Amino acid sequence: VQLVESGGGLVQAGGSLGLSCAASGFTARNYDLSWYRQAPGKERELVATITGTNGNSQYADSVKGRFTISRDDAKNTMYLQMNSLKPEDTAVYYCYARGEDYLARLSRQRGGFDYTYWGQGTQVTVSS
Protein backbone atom coordinates (compact mmCIF):
# COMPACT_ATOMS: atom_id res chain seq x y z
CA VAL A 1 0.00 0.00 0.00
CA GLN A 2 1.43 3.34 -1.01
CA LEU A 3 0.44 6.99 -1.34
CA VAL A 4 2.77 9.13 -3.42
CA GLU A 5 2.40 12.90 -3.59
CA SER A 6 3.75 15.01 -6.41
CA GLY A 7 3.50 18.55 -7.71
CA GLY A 8 5.03 20.54 -4.89
CA GLY A 9 7.48 23.34 -5.48
CA LEU A 10 8.22 27.02 -5.17
CA VAL A 11 5.66 29.61 -6.26
CA GLN A 12 5.19 33.33 -5.72
CA ALA A 13 2.37 34.67 -3.60
CA GLY A 14 -0.81 34.89 -5.61
CA GLY A 15 0.23 32.02 -7.83
CA SER A 16 -1.20 28.53 -8.28
CA LEU A 17 0.04 25.02 -7.80
CA GLY A 18 -1.52 21.59 -8.23
CA LEU A 19 -0.75 18.55 -6.13
CA SER A 20 -1.47 14.92 -6.94
CA CYS A 21 -1.62 11.85 -4.72
CA ALA A 22 -1.41 8.49 -6.44
CA ALA A 23 -2.65 5.51 -4.46
CA SER A 24 -1.59 1.92 -5.04
CA GLY A 25 -2.30 -1.32 -3.27
CA PHE A 26 -5.87 -0.51 -2.35
CA THR A 27 -9.12 0.62 -3.97
CA ALA A 28 -9.36 4.35 -3.43
CA ARG A 29 -13.14 4.54 -3.85
CA ASN A 30 -13.54 2.73 -0.52
CA TYR A 31 -11.58 5.44 1.23
CA ASP A 32 -12.11 9.02 2.31
CA LEU A 33 -9.09 10.98 1.09
CA SER A 34 -7.60 14.06 2.69
CA TRP A 35 -4.80 16.56 2.38
CA TYR A 36 -2.96 17.63 5.51
CA ARG A 37 -0.11 20.10 5.86
CA GLN A 38 2.56 20.80 8.40
CA ALA A 39 4.52 24.04 8.59
CA PRO A 40 7.83 24.26 10.49
CA GLY A 41 7.23 24.38 14.21
CA LYS A 42 3.50 23.78 13.85
CA GLU A 43 1.21 20.80 14.22
CA ARG A 44 -0.08 18.93 11.22
CA GLU A 45 -3.46 20.35 10.19
CA LEU A 46 -6.28 19.12 8.00
CA VAL A 47 -6.61 21.08 4.76
CA ALA A 48 -9.40 19.30 2.90
CA THR A 49 -11.26 15.99 2.74
CA ILE A 50 -13.25 14.31 0.00
CA THR A 51 -15.43 11.31 0.73
CA GLY A 52 -15.39 8.09 -1.25
CA THR A 53 -19.12 7.43 -1.06
CA ASN A 54 -20.47 10.62 -2.60
CA GLY A 55 -17.51 12.90 -3.31
CA ASN A 56 -18.54 15.49 -0.73
CA SER A 57 -15.72 17.80 0.25
CA GLN A 58 -14.84 19.90 3.27
CA TYR A 59 -12.16 22.54 3.70
CA ALA A 60 -10.30 24.29 6.46
CA ASP A 61 -11.48 27.88 6.82
CA SER A 62 -8.01 29.11 5.90
CA VAL A 63 -8.21 27.63 2.38
CA LYS A 64 -11.92 27.90 1.53
CA GLY A 65 -12.47 29.55 -1.81
CA ARG A 66 -8.81 29.12 -2.80
CA PHE A 67 -8.19 25.36 -2.76
CA THR A 68 -10.14 22.62 -4.52
CA ILE A 69 -9.89 18.94 -3.68
CA SER A 70 -10.93 16.33 -6.22
CA ARG A 71 -10.49 12.66 -6.96
CA ASP A 72 -10.43 10.31 -9.94
CA ASP A 73 -11.15 6.84 -8.64
CA ALA A 74 -10.56 5.30 -12.05
CA LYS A 75 -6.95 6.47 -11.70
CA ASN A 76 -6.79 5.93 -7.92
CA THR A 77 -5.63 9.53 -7.66
CA MET A 78 -6.54 12.57 -5.58
CA TYR A 79 -5.75 16.17 -6.43
CA LEU A 80 -5.45 19.52 -4.70
CA GLN A 81 -5.63 22.65 -6.82
CA MET A 82 -4.25 25.60 -4.89
CA ASN A 83 -4.94 29.13 -6.13
CA SER A 84 -4.19 32.57 -4.70
CA LEU A 85 -1.40 31.08 -2.65
CA LYS A 86 -0.12 32.93 0.39
CA PRO A 87 3.21 32.67 2.23
CA GLU A 88 1.34 31.11 5.15
CA ASP A 89 0.42 28.18 2.88
CA THR A 90 4.09 27.15 2.97
CA ALA A 91 4.26 23.64 4.42
CA VAL A 92 4.84 20.01 3.67
CA TYR A 93 1.60 18.65 2.22
CA TYR A 94 0.61 15.06 2.96
CA CYS A 95 -2.13 12.90 1.55
CA TYR A 96 -4.05 10.63 3.87
CA ALA A 97 -6.46 7.79 3.23
CA ARG A 98 -8.94 6.31 5.68
CA GLY A 99 -10.95 3.23 4.81
CA GLU A 100 -14.69 3.75 5.18
CA ASP A 101 -16.18 0.54 3.86
CA TYR A 102 -17.85 -1.95 6.19
CA LEU A 103 -14.75 -4.08 6.78
CA ALA A 104 -12.56 -1.11 7.64
CA ARG A 105 -15.09 0.28 10.10
CA LEU A 106 -15.57 -3.15 11.69
CA SER A 107 -11.82 -3.61 12.03
CA ARG A 108 -11.42 -0.28 13.80
CA GLN A 109 -14.42 -0.99 16.00
CA ARG A 110 -12.79 -4.23 17.10
CA GLY A 111 -9.42 -2.60 17.72
CA GLY A 112 -7.82 -4.18 14.69
CA PHE A 113 -6.01 -2.62 11.77
CA ASP A 114 -7.17 0.95 11.30
CA TYR A 115 -7.02 1.10 7.46
CA THR A 116 -5.32 4.50 7.42
CA TYR A 117 -2.34 5.46 5.29
CA TRP A 118 -0.08 8.47 4.86
CA GLY A 119 2.02 9.66 1.98
CA GLN A 120 5.60 10.83 2.40
CA GLY A 121 4.79 14.50 1.81
CA THR A 122 5.67 17.13 -0.76
CA GLN A 123 7.06 20.59 -0.01
CA VAL A 124 5.13 23.67 -1.04
CA THR A 125 6.90 27.00 -0.61
CA VAL A 126 5.18 30.31 -1.30
CA SER A 127 7.45 33.32 -1.53
CA SER A 128 6.27 36.82 -0.71
Side-chain angles (χ1 to χ4, degrees):
V1 173
Q2 198 173 19
L3 294 173
V4 179
E5 302 96 336
S6 61
L10 174 65
V11 64
Q12 288 189 331
S16 298
L17 208 57
L19 304 181
S20 298
C21 173
S24 60
F26 64 95
T27 303
R29 67 174 178 270
N30 294 330
Y31 287 71
D32 288 355
L33 302 176
S34 302
W35 287 99
Y36 281 76
R37 67 185 181 186
Q38 187 167 20
K42 294 188 177 181
E43 293 187 354
R44 191 170 297 190
E45 64 172 349
L46 177 63
V47 175
T49 295
I50 186 165
T51 63
T53 51
N54 54 22
N56 284 347
S57 57
Q58 292 183 315
Y59 297 89
D61 288 343
S62 58
V63 306
K64 278 181 184 176
R66 300 187 299 120
F67 290 12
T68 302
I69 189 172
S70 61
R71 61 192 293 160
D72 184 341
D73 289 340
K75 296 181 179 180
N76 253 22
T77 301
M78 170 178 64
Y79 306 95
L80 185 68
Q81 179 62 39
M82 305 183 291
N83 299 326
S84 302
L85 283 161
K86 305 175 181 179
E88 50 264 42
D89 294 318
T90 295
V92 178
Y93 283 71
Y94 298 90
C95 59
Y96 171 78
R98 176 183 166 98
E100 291 296 340
D101 63 0
Y102 172 76
L103 289 178
R105 292 177 180 236
L106 184 64
S107 179
R108 283 195 295 269
Q109 187 179 46
R110 293 180 174 178
F113 184 65
D114 64 1
Y115 287 88
T116 62
Y117 306 101
W118 287 95
Q120 83 289 348
T122 185
Q123 177 70 46
V124 171
T125 303
V126 184
S127 63
S128 57

